[in-house]
Amino acid sequence: MASLVSFIKRIYNVIYPPTVPKISSSSSSPSSTPSGPLKFGILGAANIAPPALILPARSHPEVVVYAVAARSLQRAQAFAKKHGIEKAYEGYQALLDDPDVDVVYNALPNALHYEWTMKALAAGKHVLNEKPSADTAEETRKMYEFAEKKGLILLEAFHYRFHPALKRAKAIIDSGELGAVKNITVNMILPKGPVGVDDIRFDYSLGGGAMMDMGCYAMNCVRYMSSSEPTSVVATSHVAFVPKSAPASYVKNVDRRMEATLGLPKDVTATIVCDLGVPPTFGFIPKMPKIGFTMDCELGSLEMYNHVIPTLYHSITVKIKGGHTRVEKVYKGKEGKGEEWWLTYRYQLEALVDRIRGREPETWLTKEDSVANMEWIEKVYEKVRKYNRARRQLLMRVCRQDSVVGRNLAM
């Protein structure tokens, strides 16, 4: 009964987080720069924005969601009215031109991350950039180098990395309790339905594909939990996305499903499976989502269910060979900041604000981490020659975008 009550309270606060008073200039310490709350502007009236920023901001005393920009003013105004946002802009540049915006949340499609993150940095804004960071590792590298040159903070939004549940799973592996890691399997699998056929995730020109969307989590998880970089892409298999009424001339250039086997140091192997829409059994029995990872080790195994949104529910199952099995759940760390109802996004926001304010965050993702993740995503696509997106078409776009923002690079 106690666990049920805790679950209900947790979910209620996820949906209706408490709103806290925002700090004012007078309440800020003399060393705070700038004083008062950080004003965030959202690029794109996207569905991800409410859980990723708007709801977490309510309970953060140093954050105000101040502005939103969309391609049409009507869409921006409707989004602003719905979520209590002060400013609405037609066009993304108009928001960047607002001197009151301190931080930009880039919630645009993948193919627009590079262009608008570079423009936001050129305008002097810190950036929280949705994952995957960009279309290529080269784009990612350029963004971070420019942020460093401008003295600004850039963070790729791998929100799940900030939650204490994942940290606990990593601590168990790092403790040596289960011995050396032998194999890692990460599943990021959705049933057919939630991702519609007209979704941007199925649009190649916007950086779509299962490996780009769900797969970027899987690749990041393998690298984080193994504390190592892959050494090779051993094998891949894929299923192309094909609309039901696709003409004969339809180009199959986006992966609906991607599987990859990776080689890691010390003879460790890893398998990632990501799917944006598994068809129902017998054509009508829907599949269940499969989100989690398993680590097979010398002395046992660790399985974490729902590592991406653990606040809703998760489990960490530890099995000792020839011994006992235990299940752990961690909704709040024993030390540090946080509440049981904090979403992964709220922990992420805490870390971002700490870094911008000059405080040391409990968790952080580095430039090297983001660049390496895109490098290995590219290598998976290169293994599947059909989806080799790492070169000509994308590099041509990079060159066009560089011509737009290049004049700012000398600033």
Side-chain angles (χ1 to χ4, degrees):
M1 177 61 74
S3 60
L4 176 61
V5 172
S6 177
F7 171 78
I8 293 172
K9 289 176 63 178
R10 189 170 66 252
I11 299 305
Y12 179 85
N13 282 314
V14 165
I15 300 172
Y16 305 105
T19 300
V20 301
K22 307 302 178 180
I23 64 169
S24 62
S25 299
S26 59
S27 66
S28 299
S29 65
S31 61
S32 296
T33 305
S35 58
L38 292 166
K39 293 186 176 181
F40 278 66
I42 303 172
L43 295 183
N47 291 334
I48 188 62
L53 178 62
I54 295 171
L55 289 178
R58 291 181 184 175
S59 63
H60 200 303
E62 297 179 73
V63 173
V64 170
V65 180
Y66 163 76
V68 62
R71 286 175 295 175
S72 76
L73 181 59
Q74 182 178 10
R75 179 171 172 80
Q77 288 175 333
F79 189 89
K81 182 178 180 180
K82 180 178 180 180
H83 298 290
I85 299 173
E86 180 178 344
K87 296 281 188 176
Y89 288 106
E90 180 176 18
Y92 311 132
Q93 188 60 49
L95 183 146
L96 301 185
D97 291 338
D98 186 336
D100 289 333
V101 173
D102 302 305
V103 190
V104 165
Y105 171 45
N106 188 344
L108 299 172
N110 300 337
L112 300 179
H113 287 180
Y114 175 76
E115 177 182 359
W116 288 100
T117 292
M118 291 291 275
K119 288 180 176 179
L121 294 169
K125 318 297 186 185
H126 304 289
V127 179
L128 174 61
N129 186 31
E130 260 306 329
K131 48 79 203 145
S133 56
D135 266 332
T136 68
E138 183 60 24
E139 289 180 341
T140 304
R141 186 177 293 106
K142 287 184 177 182
M143 290 190 300
Y144 277 94
E145 289 174 350
F146 191 34
E148 290 172 350
K149 186 174 182 178
K150 297 282 288 183
L152 296 167
I153 303 302
L154 171 60
L155 175 63
E156 183 178 12
F158 274 117
H159 55 96
Y160 84 107
R161 287 273 298 272
F162 296 84
H163 197 276
L166 186 74
K167 296 179 186 178
R168 174 56 186 159
K170 182 73 160 59
I172 294 171
I173 294 298
D174 291 348
S175 72
E177 175 186 357
L178 297 173
V181 175
K182 307 303 289 183
N183 181 70
I184 307 170
T185 301
V186 184
N187 291 304
M188 296 290 297
I189 302 172
L190 296 177
K192 185 177 181 179
V195 181
V197 295
D198 58 349
D199 194 282
I200 60 172
R201 294 169 181 84
F202 291 134
D203 189 332
Y204 178 85
S205 67
L206 293 177
M211 189 64 214
M212 290 289 282
D213 188 72
M214 306 296 278
C216 70
Y217 280 109
M219 183 66 76
N220 187 272
C221 184
V222 165
R223 296 174 49 253
Y224 174 68
M225 290 302 298
S226 69
S227 300
S228 65
E229 296 295 339
T231 56
S232 64
V233 179
V234 178
T236 60
S237 65
H238 67 279
V239 177
F241 166 70
V242 182
K244 188 175 182 180
S245 58
S249 60
Y250 179 78
V251 179
K252 301 176 183 178
N253 58 0
V254 172
D255 48 310
R256 190 215 79 203
R257 180 184 179 91
M258 183 70 76
E259 298 184 35
T261 300
L262 308 172
L264 285 84
K266 301 180 180 179
D267 295 323
V268 177
T269 57
T271 300
I272 59 178
V273 183
C274 44
D275 201 317
L276 292 173
V278 179
T281 303
F282 304 124
F284 67 93
I285 302 176
K287 298 284 189 179
M288 292 295 291
K290 193 173 183 180
I291 307 294
F293 64 86
T294 301
M295 303 191 70
D296 297 309
C297 306
E298 285 182 327
L299 305 178
S301 66
L302 180 147
E303 180 179 359
M304 183 167 182
Y305 169 75
N306 194 19
H307 62 295
V308 176
I309 317 178
T311 307
L312 302 184
Y313 178 83
H314 70 273
S315 61
I316 303 169
T317 303
V318 180
K319 297 180 180 180
I320 308 297
K321 289 181 179 179
H324 66 282
T325 296
R326 72 176 188 273
V327 178
E328 298 187 20
K329 299 181 180 69
V330 183
Y331 291 102
K332 182 182 184 300
K334 293 182 179 179
E335 298 178 354
K337 303 174 182 178
E339 300 292 343
E340 286 196 357
W341 51 267
W342 275 22
L343 287 167
T344 51
Y345 300 107
R346 180 60 178 83
Y347 281 101
Q348 175 180 259
L349 184 61
E350 190 74 21
L352 176 61
V353 172
D354 282 348
R355 179 55 64 95
I356 291 173
R357 294 296 204 192
R359 303 186 291 260
E360 186 64 29
E362 294 177 20
T363 303
W364 194 250
L365 273 73
T366 65
K367 170 183 71 175
E368 292 76 16
D369 195 344
S370 292
V371 172
N373 212 60
M374 280 309 307
E375 286 177 339
W376 284 102
I377 290 172
E378 284 187 351
K379 290 180 188 296
V380 170
Y381 278 122
E382 288 167 4
K383 190 76 172 181
V384 186
R385 297 180 184 274
K386 191 173 186 178
Y387 300 138
N388 185 352
R389 42 173 94 227
R391 294 299 153 243
R392 187 171 182 187
Q393 179 180 345
L394 292 176
L395 290 181
M396 287 174 65
R397 185 171 71 241
V398 171
C399 290
R400 290 197 300 270
Q401 291 169 350
D402 280 351
S403 69
V404 175
V405 300
R407 62 179 179 272
N408 297 303
L409 299 182
M411 293 174 61

